[in-house]
Amino acid sequence: YNNIATVETGSVGTRYNFNKRWAIRANVNTGYRPPTLGALSYFYSAPYPGYTVDQIPASSAIAKYLGAGNMKGQYSRSYSIGFDATPVDDFHVTGNLYYIAINGRMGSTKSYTVDKNDSVLMEMLKNASLGSATSLSYYANLYNTQTFGGDFSADYTLHTQNLGQFRFAMGINFSDNEIRSEKSNLVNDYTKTMVLHAAPKNREQISVNWTRGRWSASVQELRYGSIIYMAAPTGPGSVPFKQNPGFITNLEVDYKILPRWTVGVGANNVGNKHPTRVPSAIANTQQGLAKYASYSPYGFSGGMYYVKTSLDF
């Protein structure tokens, strides 16, 4: 990146095997993520009856007038420790604990209400064909954050003589984000909610895969923890709303017509699960357009049912 300082990153890892079945491991890493073209130049305009919300490019003259500085990359460091074990044949378990610190984490600023008495700003908006804008925001380096988390997984493969092969698996992931410091003049409760509560803190899954001859099938059950939804950065829509945990079931059945040709049928979210419905008091702030939250760990479109075919060559 010719407009970003040269950055060196590194990784050190180690693993110790007590025997062929048990091992521990640890890693220390540093990382760097430069601002993307989207972070520098992303723009959208959302018109509503009576007001318009605009996200302006961080590199624009308007953002600079509002106080935007030059965007920097995100620096991170992470530490992890875990184990890897096969206590008995065909049974495998792993577990990890980790800590991640990010400096200069990027995000969208709070919304600035356009001051109609600011002649300089109004002229700049007019020249950019944004004269109807009533609030503005842009991307910037807003936070220094830290994340504590861990994961655990296990799988067991059962071989039978007449019923085929079964693979049972389960996994648990959990994490907790915290803001170590922030640019208080650029953030508010809405922007901090996007960082801390827009994704679930925990996710669990169990699955069974079966194969026998030309047939195979899989069933997966997922659970996503709760999140906090805010419909808008300001006004009545900025009331926090808790989206309940969700259970999602995925299914698939496949058949090999030929050794290299497979057909199958399946469903993602077979129960047509939707996020918790948004209360009417919040939905009405968006002209009643939002029946469900606009963001969810499993989307808001419900189930997807499909037929597929594949050819390996």
Side-chain angles (χ1 to χ4, degrees):
Y1 296 86
N2 60 10
N3 61 330
I4 300 294
T6 300
V7 176
E8 295 177 351
T9 62
S11 176
V12 177
T14 185
R15 176 186 173 101
Y16 180 76
N17 288 61
F18 295 99
N19 50 47
K20 67 177 184 179
R21 294 192 180 274
W22 292 89
I24 58 173
R25 59 196 178 196
N27 288 274
V28 178
N29 303 278
T30 62
Y32 175 73
R33 179 191 176 195
T36 64
L37 292 175
L40 293 169
S41 305
Y42 180 65
F43 167 80
Y44 80 81
S45 181
Y48 296 95
Y51 66 99
T52 301
V53 178
D54 287 350
Q55 179 89 29
I56 56 177
S59 56
S60 67
I62 299 173
K64 300 297 183 185
Y65 180 78
L66 294 175
N70 294 325
M71 289 192 69
K72 301 180 296 182
Q74 297 180 160
Y75 297 84
S76 68
R77 65 184 187 278
S78 63
Y79 311 88
S80 67
I81 185 170
F83 71 92
D84 187 344
T86 307
V88 296
D89 290 345
D90 297 319
F91 179 47
H92 184 222
V93 294
T94 62
N96 299 281
L97 294 173
Y98 61 83
Y99 169 81
I100 304 171
I102 301 176
N103 291 339
R105 187 164 175 171
M106 292 176 277
S108 182
T109 67
K110 65 183 181 182
S111 294
Y112 293 88
T113 301
V114 173
D115 183 0
K116 300 296 183 180
N117 295 320
D118 188 333
S119 59
V120 176
L121 176 60
M122 294 305 297
E123 184 65 22
M124 296 175 72
L125 291 172
K126 180 181 177 181
N127 293 336
S129 300
L130 300 175
S132 63
T134 54
S135 65
L136 304 168
S137 59
Y138 55 90
Y139 278 98
N141 301 97
L142 301 177
Y143 309 102
N144 294 331
T145 66
Q146 60 186 8
T147 302
F148 301 88
D151 59 74
F152 175 81
S153 65
D155 63 81
Y156 175 68
T157 302
L158 174 65
H159 305 274
T160 68
Q161 187 171 3
N162 299 317
L163 299 178
Q165 177 179 289
F166 297 83
R167 183 179 184 273
F168 304 91
M170 61 85 66
I172 300 172
N173 296 273
F174 59 91
S175 64
D176 182 49
N177 290 319
E178 297 179 0
I179 296 175
R180 294 182 289 125
S181 60
E182 64 191 52
K183 292 186 177 180
S184 56
N185 61 317
L186 300 180
V187 301
N188 58 14
D189 289 342
Y190 177 82
T191 61
K192 288 188 282 189
T193 295
M194 295 299 101
V195 174
L196 299 176
H197 305 298
K201 292 186 176 182
N202 55 287
R203 174 182 177 273
E204 301 83 29
Q205 69 93 17
I206 57 174
S207 64
V208 180
N209 292 76
W210 167 76
T211 57
R212 183 176 184 271
R214 297 189 175 192
W215 288 95
S216 63
S218 64
V219 181
Q220 182 185 45
E221 184 72 17
L222 299 134
R223 178 191 179 276
Y224 295 94
S226 61
I227 67 170
I228 301 298
Y229 172 69
M230 294 177 71
T234 58
S238 62
V239 177
F241 165 64
K242 183 178 180 180
Q243 188 178 123
N244 295 329
F247 290 85
I248 305 295
T249 304
N250 301 324
L251 302 171
E252 184 171 304
V253 177
D254 297 300
Y255 179 75
K256 286 185 176 294
I257 299 176
L258 297 172
R260 296 179 179 273
W261 182 20
T262 304
V263 295
V265 295
N268 293 333
N269 190 358
V270 66
N272 197 34
K273 170 70 176 178
H274 288 78
T276 307
R277 189 160 184 168
V278 176
S280 57
I282 296 177
N284 289 340
T285 66
Q286 307 294 300
Q287 288 71 52
L289 299 176
K291 184 176 180 180
Y292 304 107
S294 59
Y295 56 86
S296 163
Y298 49 89
F300 50 82
S301 300
M304 183 186 78
Y305 312 92
Y306 59 87
V307 177
K308 71 171 192 178
T309 184
S310 61
L311 182 66
D312 298 327
F313 56 91

